[in-house]
Amino acid sequence: MTDVKRYPFARSFTALFFLYLYLPIGVVIFFSFNENRLVSVWTGFSLKWYDSALANRALMDAVKISLTVASIATVLATSVALMAALVIVRGRDVKFRRLSETVVNLPLLLPEIVLAVAVLILFSQLGLQNGMAKLIIAHTAFCIPFAFLPIRARLQGMEPDFEEAAQDLYATPWTTFRRVTFPLIAPGVFAGAMLAFVISMDDFITSNMLNSGGSTTLPVYIFGLIKQGTTPELNAISTLIVLGSLILATTALILTFRSEKRA
Amino acid sequence: MDRKKAVEVVNVAKSFGTFQALKGVSFDIYDNEFFTMLGPSGCGKTTLLRMIAGFESPTSGTIRLHGKDILSLPPHKRRVNTVFQSYALFPHMTLEQNISFGLENLGWEKERRRARTAQMLEMVHMSQFARRRPAQLSGGQRQRIALARALAPEPEVLLLDEPLSALDLKLRQAMRDELRALQRATGITFVFVTHDQEEALDMSDRICVLGHGEIQHLGTPNEIYEDPENRFVADFIGETNFFEVDVLAVNGPQATIRTPMGQTLTTFHKGAQVGSKATLSLRPEKIGMEDQADGPAQSGELMEGRITGRNYMGGYTHYTVDVAGVELRVSRRNAVSHSASFDPGRTVRLGFRHDSARVLAR
């Protein structure tokens, strides 16, 4: 095979591609340090928008709600996904294996607006009032398939030999799971949890539908800010979110790399 | 000899859908025995081993371990351990932890576990690697750890599922000797599964040849090679020449037959019937071959033939000889005394002792 690097214009084309991907984010980060009130007029370096963002009570509340919902939904969705994957991949004499898998993954194929309307109607029928509870239940539901996919992939890629060896060496089913299965699929479980967390943090449509006093998530709050016109505070918030994502992604990469090196 | 039965396989059958993997086999494995289940892939040998371990259950029949029916027990409650073909060493544990795993589950005290683990590591000459992980080992070293891990809990029976197949030739030879020595030293019953007949002949006390879901022959390596029960066994173990022969007379264990080369001879038989066709099996190394100019052959019936093919194998040479239109395979050791090779096209004399041939039912 010809080395891809030898194609003419490969370098400039690659540069163009990454520019296209990251320039908008770069602009946001750049202007978050702008002193001027007008978003697109540079007058000098300043951290004052970070100050005002961090001092904004409503904003901080939204961050707190988003983090709470995402954390709880991640734990719940990952647990359900893990159990589903164990049964679907490892279970003996499972009927409708393919069908079960499709049913678990179906929410990925449905437009989110359909799901959002559906939960809105369901919750009002049930008379559920608690805003946080509604958010957590809805987020858990749509996060499950995202958590499921990496766990299933990891489990399918693992020979059943290790688990058989554990049982052969007198381990009960629970010990087998705790000491062999789980440690070996942990990278998949971690990846699934990360994905679920990001999907929950990022969700707008469902969260907006379920929005009520005291349950405004960060994306919904930001959207509200934009409707009042853009402020440089938005740039600062966005930059902080990018920073948070980078830290999360780096941790994930390091953990995955370590577990691969060990295996 | 009255020996205790370690494993009793009673009328065990297994079907996968409409495919009958095992058609009701019965045999006993004795204490302190190196027992091998040998057969081509798909003969049901691995299925049998997995049934003893508890990973699969028979469609019908029973398996007993030291007299106790074990079919209702899950794998973790059976006092047998397995050496897996893939070794299945836990990649996230050190070698020490791998070996200690079974002992922990059995509830051994920490001190006793440590002592036993150290002892096992020493037994397989791996003490200096105790803190390493499986990924840092070579194939042969992994094999040794898998053995140590399976032997550590002192199982009633050790099951080995083609454990040497992933090793290269030299190492495989060395591991055979090591396995045999380990079996003698520990006194634990080994049940070994392989498709490699040479391995089976070399290591086993007794071999069970499986084919088409049935026992084809159960006996010592010598019996299986020299006195095969049927054509399948003669064909699967080693090389042989098969001829279709007419059975002229049967007298107890002996039968008189006529070969397609035109000789009439009397030798031992298995299931031959007068007036019917049978198969004569004659091993290539049982045939003597001499230059025509050297005078009469030393023994047995003489045949004249022409060499049509030669394969040099190092220690010995395989020849193909045409005798009156019948192709015969002849094998000769390349010893000092007759290192001279016969060229294709040469006319030679062949001879064999009649009692080295076997008449088998077709």
Side-chain angles (χ1 to χ4, degrees):
Chain A
M1 212 178 73
T2 323
D3 189 349
V4 171
K5 285 183 200 155
R6 291 190 185 194
Y7 287 124
F9 309 119
R11 266 164 208 277
S12 35
F13 189 78
T14 309
L16 199 69
F17 168 75
F18 281 114
L19 206 64
Y20 166 73
L21 212 56
Y22 289 110
L23 188 64
I25 298 171
V27 169
V28 166
I29 295 174
F30 179 73
F31 278 108
S32 74
F33 298 109
N34 188 6
E35 182 197 36
N36 201 299
R37 221 198 120 68
L38 291 168
V39 169
S40 48
V41 182
W42 179 264
T43 48
F45 180 84
S46 159
L47 289 173
K48 69 175 178 184
W49 299 116
Y50 286 89
D51 272 346
S52 89
L54 292 171
N56 182 339
R57 271 293 296 274
L59 173 65
M60 285 301 116
D61 280 349
V63 169
K64 215 188 289 171
I65 285 168
S66 267
L67 284 176
T68 312
V69 170
S71 305
I72 298 175
T74 297
V75 171
L76 293 178
T78 308
S79 310
V80 173
L82 176 60
M83 290 189 276
L86 282 172
V87 171
I88 288 172
V89 180
R90 281 291 190 265
R92 283 181 163 222
D93 309 317
V94 177
K95 282 177 189 154
F96 311 120
R97 210 181 283 264
R98 290 298 310 220
L99 186 69
S100 318
E101 211 179 294
T102 313
V103 171
V104 173
N105 285 329
L106 201 59
L108 289 178
L109 303 174
L110 294 175
E112 201 196 330
I113 186 74
V114 176
L115 290 172
V117 171
V119 290
L120 190 64
I121 295 170
L122 178 72
F123 288 155
S124 77
Q125 294 257 311
L126 291 173
L128 191 63
Q129 293 300 325
N130 188 321
M132 280 293 269
K134 286 197 276 191
L135 276 178
I136 289 168
I137 294 171
H139 280 222
T140 303
F142 66 68
C143 284
I144 287 172
F146 290 97
F148 175 77
L149 287 175
I151 300 176
R152 187 201 58 178
R154 181 84 189 182
L155 209 51
Q156 272 175 343
M158 183 178 124
E159 292 288 322
D161 290 21
F162 298 116
E163 286 145 294
E164 284 187 355
Q167 285 173 277
D168 192 66
L169 293 161
Y170 315 108
T172 59
W174 170 242
T175 308
T176 303
F177 174 77
R178 193 172 50 86
R179 295 208 47 202
V180 176
T181 315
F182 189 77
L184 292 179
I185 60 167
V189 176
F190 185 73
M194 290 284 297
L195 211 54
F197 187 81
V198 169
I199 294 290
S200 168
M201 280 300 282
D202 188 46
D203 178 69
F204 176 74
I205 298 178
T206 309
S207 304
N208 194 38
M209 288 270 187
L210 299 173
N211 185 20
S212 63
S215 68
T216 304
T217 65
L218 187 59
V220 176
Y221 177 78
I222 292 175
F223 186 72
L225 274 188
I226 289 175
K227 277 199 294 196
Q228 299 158 18
T230 51
T231 80
E233 213 178 282
L234 260 177
N235 289 338
I237 298 169
S238 306
T239 305
L240 287 174
I241 293 176
V242 169
L243 189 70
S245 307
L246 275 178
I247 292 171
L248 218 60
T250 312
T251 321
L253 264 176
I254 290 172
L255 284 178
T256 319
F257 180 71
R258 273 203 192 150
S259 79
E260 266 168 18
K261 223 172 77 176
R262 216 172 52 178
Chain B
M1 196 164 55
D2 190 34
R3 284 203 288 170
K4 252 178 79 186
K5 289 170 183 172
V7 181
E8 292 164 76
V9 175
V10 187
N11 234 335
V12 166
K14 176 79 179 177
S15 310
F16 297 103
T18 55
F19 173 68
Q20 269 197 298
L22 287 167
K23 301 172 186 169
V25 299
S26 300
F27 57 87
D28 296 332
I29 300 167
Y30 296 106
D31 261 342
N32 201 1
E33 185 175 37
F34 199 120
F35 187 88
T36 299
M37 298 196 271
L38 173 68
S41 51
C43 72
K45 56 189 192 298
T46 298
T47 306
L48 259 171
L49 196 81
R50 289 175 60 80
M51 282 180 190
I52 301 174
F55 300 126
E56 265 169 80
S57 40
T59 312
S60 65
T62 311
I63 297 172
R64 294 193 202 103
L65 183 65
H66 283 123
K68 223 178 68 189
D69 194 322
I70 53 168
L71 279 193
S72 56
L73 298 178
H76 68 274
K77 290 193 178 150
R78 299 188 186 193
R79 287 297 325 239
V80 298
N81 288 137
T82 309
V83 176
F84 290 83
Q85 188 170 8
S86 63
Y87 311 143
L89 297 176
F90 306 127
H92 57 300
M93 297 183 196
T94 63
L95 304 189
E96 237 170 9
Q97 290 167 333
N98 262 284
I99 296 172
S100 180
F101 185 82
L103 309 177
E104 280 172 57
N105 293 320
L106 286 175
W108 285 29
E109 296 289 325
K110 197 174 175 187
E111 272 316 303
R112 202 171 150 220
R113 277 199 325 249
R114 190 176 297 164
R116 180 69 175 162
T117 304
Q119 184 197 349
M120 297 316 287
L121 279 167
E122 195 167 322
M123 185 186 77
V124 294
H125 319 296
M126 294 282 291
S127 299
Q128 69 272 38
F129 300 118
R131 297 278 155 79
R132 295 218 184 158
R133 287 181 196 279
Q136 297 164 283
L137 301 185
S138 70
Q141 292 173 325
R142 278 181 217 192
Q143 163 79 82
R144 291 212 187 95
I145 295 302
L147 262 167
R149 184 178 72 172
L151 283 169
E154 293 176 320
E156 291 180 23
V157 171
L158 183 77
L159 309 172
L160 302 108
D161 184 9
E162 309 223 12
L164 306 181
S165 59
L167 304 178
D168 56 52
L169 191 67
K170 276 265 189 234
L171 200 54
R172 204 150 59 201
Q173 183 62 53
M175 280 312 293
R176 278 190 207 167
D177 296 340
E178 236 172 278
L179 268 179
R180 195 76 180 96
L182 264 181
Q183 196 268 329
R184 294 240 167 83
T186 56
I188 289 175
T189 310
F190 277 33
V191 181
F192 186 86
V193 156
T194 184
H195 64 269
D196 185 329
Q197 33 123 349
E198 216 177 281
E199 244 169 58
L201 292 173
D202 179 13
M203 293 193 287
S204 321
D205 290 319
R206 285 194 306 151
I207 300 173
C208 177
V209 184
L210 287 158
H212 310 302
E214 290 170 303
I215 297 179
Q216 301 290 340
H217 194 164
L218 203 168
T220 64
N222 192 281
E223 285 165 358
I224 278 174
Y225 187 79
E226 302 291 345
D227 266 317
E229 196 64 43
N230 55 38
R231 194 185 158 127
F232 179 92
V233 178
D235 193 25
F236 188 71
I237 316 285
E239 273 201 69
T240 193
N241 293 291
F242 282 133
F243 311 103
E244 196 168 273
V245 295
D246 293 308
V247 183
L248 305 177
V250 174
N251 183 12
Q254 304 250 359
T256 306
I257 52 105
R258 186 183 298 118
T259 71
M261 290 88 80
Q263 303 129 308
T264 302
L265 59 89
T266 301
T267 184
F268 298 99
H269 79 96
K270 291 267 168 71
Q273 282 177 346
V274 182
S276 69
K277 295 267 185 197
T279 300
L280 186 75
S281 165
L282 181 58
R283 301 279 186 198
E285 76 278 8
K286 309 274 189 199
I287 304 175
M289 185 162 78
E290 286 164 10
D291 205 315
Q292 197 188 25
D294 288 352
Q298 311 144 319
S299 57
E301 201 75 28
L302 284 176
M303 300 176 287
E304 204 161 87
R306 205 170 56 83
I307 294 180
T308 55
R310 178 175 61 182
N311 296 86
Y312 179 72
M313 310 297 288
Y316 44 91
T317 306
H318 288 319
Y319 294 95
T320 320
V321 186
D322 182 286
V323 179
V326 181
E327 286 251 299
L328 265 173
R329 276 177 295 168
V330 179
S331 159
R332 264 167 76 93
R333 282 211 59 81
N334 293 330
V336 192
S337 55
H338 42 72
S339 51
S341 165
F342 293 92
D343 294 324
R346 188 105 157 245
T347 306
V348 288
R349 283 167 192 249
L350 302 178
F352 62 94
R353 282 174 59 110
H354 289 176
D355 60 3
S356 67
R358 286 291 176 275
V359 182
L360 306 168
R362 286 205 302 163

